[in-house]
Amino acid sequence: MSDFTELVERYIATWNETDAAARRAGVEAVLAEDGTYTDPLVDVAGHDAFDATIAAVQAQFPGLVFRLGGGVDTHHDIARFTWELGPADGEALVVGFDVAVRGEDGRIRAVLGFLDKVPAGA
């Protein structure tokens, strides 16, 4: 397992962290201070905005969990991976595809997200 794969796994775990202090610690550990997150619904930069984005998604989809939808493909300082959001033991309700760029400090400096499956009304 590459260090980048482990970083992506910690990134996914941060999306699942519901304790605000632990989630913030996770955000600071995986995302560069000026890191960006962009998907079709949001475009944010920095720890505060990224943490708020995760909290908003958790509020919109209470009780659901993120998981990797397969392996993490990496080269240089770039990773791509599919993720799923759904019940812990059930079918994914949301599926997406992210590309992450790792910065010199070893944290993610940019995430570009795409939504492949989204429930109606979400």
Side-chain angles (χ1 to χ4, degrees):
M1 176 185 315
S2 77
D3 290 342
F4 206 168
T5 297
E6 182 182 337
L7 178 61
V8 169
E9 290 173 346
R10 289 187 296 133
Y11 165 82
I12 294 293
T14 300
W15 280 90
N16 288 324
E17 182 55 65
T18 56
D19 176 82
R23 182 181 62 240
R24 179 56 183 241
V27 165
E28 292 175 2
V30 301
L31 187 73
E33 191 170 337
D34 61 347
T36 61
Y37 176 86
T38 305
D39 71 21
L41 304 174
V42 67
D43 184 9
V44 298
H47 293 158
D48 290 344
F50 185 58
D51 189 21
T53 297
I54 294 173
V57 170
Q58 290 176 350
Q60 183 177 3
F61 298 102
L64 301 185
V65 295
F66 285 90
R67 60 185 170 258
L68 285 171
V72 178
D73 186 21
T74 66
H75 67 81
H76 297 87
D77 285 317
I78 303 168
R80 67 177 179 163
F81 53 94
T82 299
W83 53 265
E84 301 174 341
L85 175 65
D89 295 325
E91 182 180 340
L93 302 175
V94 182
V95 177
F97 175 89
D98 285 0
V99 175
V101 180
R102 182 174 50 188
E104 291 181 11
D105 68 357
R107 295 182 291 174
I108 296 170
R109 68 178 172 96
V111 176
L112 304 170
F114 298 84
L115 300 173
D116 298 325
K117 176 183 172 185
V118 180

